């Protein structure tokens, strides 16, 4: 059976596109094939359910409770924390879920809730965190935002799996195994994309140009205390999943250019595209994912 015939059969069985706001950004779920509308609704509901667990700024969430009490028993939080600890180790602290105190100050400043400009040359001490089964304990405040959206995209996309059905989830540029071309939007404005991706890998983009205040954006370097993205834009494609793409896009955005490219080159199953001071840089295999 040819690809065209399969495509027509899937379309005949059903298709659905659902858009909604989640994690402070716009989500899009696209499903084509058998049971597509129901699958798209399940993906949306999964995203909402996980947001209620992982939103550190919702006082009812499990993560908020963890940051208040130092302990929570929740399988979802435990799974995200395990991934975060793995990335903290593999990046030598360049990605650090224990830097929640810094993250809170950055968010408060950007939202206009504080006049104290965050950042400095002295990094804060990272919170100590442990995981035992589904129980997480911490002696400070955690920041899971560097990978939570990617995790939510992955879990929502899993609801689209099924016989004679395909689809993807786009969470504000964090995309699970896209089924079509992906435009890398320019941070400088204009309608022409910087690149058009043709990839089955997961995609994530990090850029400070959309969220910021007085030159301060949501990116920070937990090792040096520096606040603000070092690059105009970072786009990552990751073979493993969108959680990994999200975490590494966040990490590379905070690192100096040479360090960012070196880390990306050495990371198996990862390619990166970095726009720095208007100049384009990419890992050696990134072109394999460009249309």
């Amino acid at each position: 059976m040819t690809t065209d015939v399969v495509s027509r059969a899937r379309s005949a069985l059903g298709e659905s596109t659902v858009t909604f706001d989640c994690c402070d950004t716009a989500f899009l779920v696209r499903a084509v094939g058998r049971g597509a509308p129901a699958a798209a609704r399940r993906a949306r509901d999964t995203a909402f359910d996980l947001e209620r667990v992982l939103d550190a700024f919702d006082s009812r969430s499990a993560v908020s409770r963890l940051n208040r009490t130092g302990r929570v028993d929740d399988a979802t939080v435990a799974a995200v924390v395990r991934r975060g600890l793995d990335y903290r180790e593999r990046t030598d602290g360049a990605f650090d879920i224990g830097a929640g105190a810094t993250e809170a100050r950055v968010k408060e400043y950007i939202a206009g809730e504080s006049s104290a400009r965050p950042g400095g040359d002295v990094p804060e001490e990272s919170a100590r965190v442990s995981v035992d089964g589904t129980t997480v304990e911490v002696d400070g405040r955690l920041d899971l935002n560097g990978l939570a959206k990617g995790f939510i995209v992955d879990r929502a996309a899993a609801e689209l799996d099924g016989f004679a059905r395909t689809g993807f989830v786009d969470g504000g540029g964090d995309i699970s195994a896209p089924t079509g071309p992906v435009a890398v939007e320019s941070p400088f404005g204009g309608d022409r994309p910087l690149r058009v991706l043709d990839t089955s890998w997961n995609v994530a983009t990090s850029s400070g140009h959309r969220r910021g205040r007085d030159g301060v954006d949501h990116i920070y370097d937990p090792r040096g205390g520096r606040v603000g993205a070092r690059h105009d834009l970072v786009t990552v494609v990751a073979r493993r999943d969108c959680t990994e793409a999200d975490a590494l896009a966040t990490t590379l955005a905070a690192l100096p250019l040479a360090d960012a490219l070196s880390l990306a080159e050495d990371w198996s199953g990862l390619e990166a595209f970095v726009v720095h001071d208007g100049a384009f840089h990419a890992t050696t295999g990134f072109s394999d994912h460009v249309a």
Side-chain angles (χ1 to χ4, degrees):
M1 185 177 292
T2 68
T3 301
D4 288 343
V5 172
V6 172
S7 179
R8 287 198 298 271
R10 284 173 171 165
S11 296
L13 286 167
E15 59 182 279
S16 180
T17 300
V18 177
T19 59
F20 53 95
D21 290 333
C22 182
C23 305
D24 198 28
T25 193
F27 266 61
L28 181 149
V29 175
R30 174 69 173 163
V32 177
R34 184 178 182 180
R41 290 193 297 270
R42 288 197 303 272
R44 177 200 60 196
D45 293 346
T46 295
F48 284 146
D49 289 345
L50 292 172
E51 181 186 31
R52 284 190 285 269
V53 173
L54 296 173
D55 184 359
F57 296 93
D58 180 348
S59 61
R60 301 163 295 180
S61 75
V63 170
S64 181
R65 189 163 67 252
L66 172 63
N67 284 334
R68 285 197 309 271
T69 67
R71 187 179 188 276
V72 72
D73 188 353
D74 187 279
T76 296
V77 176
V80 178
V81 167
R82 281 194 176 90
R83 290 291 293 272
L85 291 176
D86 179 46
Y87 293 130
R88 180 164 73 176
E89 180 178 355
R90 293 181 66 185
T91 65
D92 194 25
F95 182 94
D96 187 4
I97 62 172
T102 299
E103 183 256 359
R105 273 194 286 277
V106 170
K107 291 289 181 66
E108 289 169 0
Y109 182 79
I110 291 175
E113 299 169 358
S114 171
S115 60
R117 189 181 179 92
D121 297 327
V122 180
E124 297 186 51
E125 184 176 352
S126 177
R128 289 176 294 181
V129 58
S130 63
V131 187
D132 183 7
T134 60
T135 300
V136 181
E137 294 185 342
V138 64
D139 69 353
R141 185 182 177 94
L142 292 188
D143 174 15
L144 301 180
N145 287 328
L147 72 167
K149 182 153 65 78
F151 182 88
I152 290 172
V153 167
D154 285 329
R155 289 290 183 90
E159 297 296 332
L160 303 179
D161 292 342
F163 175 72
R165 186 171 62 241
T166 187
F168 68 91
V169 176
D170 179 350
D174 290 359
I175 308 172
S176 64
T179 57
V182 175
V184 179
E185 180 182 306
S186 173
F188 312 118
D191 297 329
R192 184 173 182 177
L194 299 182
R195 293 287 186 274
V196 176
L197 304 183
D198 180 9
T199 182
S200 61
W201 288 15
N202 304 273
V203 181
T205 293
S206 183
S207 174
H209 74 285
R210 285 184 173 176
R211 288 185 288 173
R213 173 190 172 195
D214 299 332
V216 173
D217 59 56
H218 65 289
I219 302 296
Y220 63 90
D221 183 348
R223 296 184 299 185
R226 183 186 184 279
V227 172
R230 292 182 184 268
H231 318 295
D232 304 312
L233 175 142
V234 174
T235 291
V236 162
V237 293
R239 181 172 52 211
R240 180 178 181 181
D241 54 22
C242 202
T243 305
E244 181 141 300
D246 189 14
L248 268 294
T250 301
T251 303
L252 301 184
L255 291 177
L257 179 61
D259 293 342
L261 292 174
S262 177
L263 178 63
E265 287 282 8
D266 292 342
W267 198 286
S268 178
L270 187 90
E271 302 294 345
F273 173 65
V274 180
V275 182
H276 180 82
D277 288 343
F280 296 174
H281 307 265
T283 53
T284 53
F286 185 79
S287 61
D288 295 340
H289 300 269
V290 177

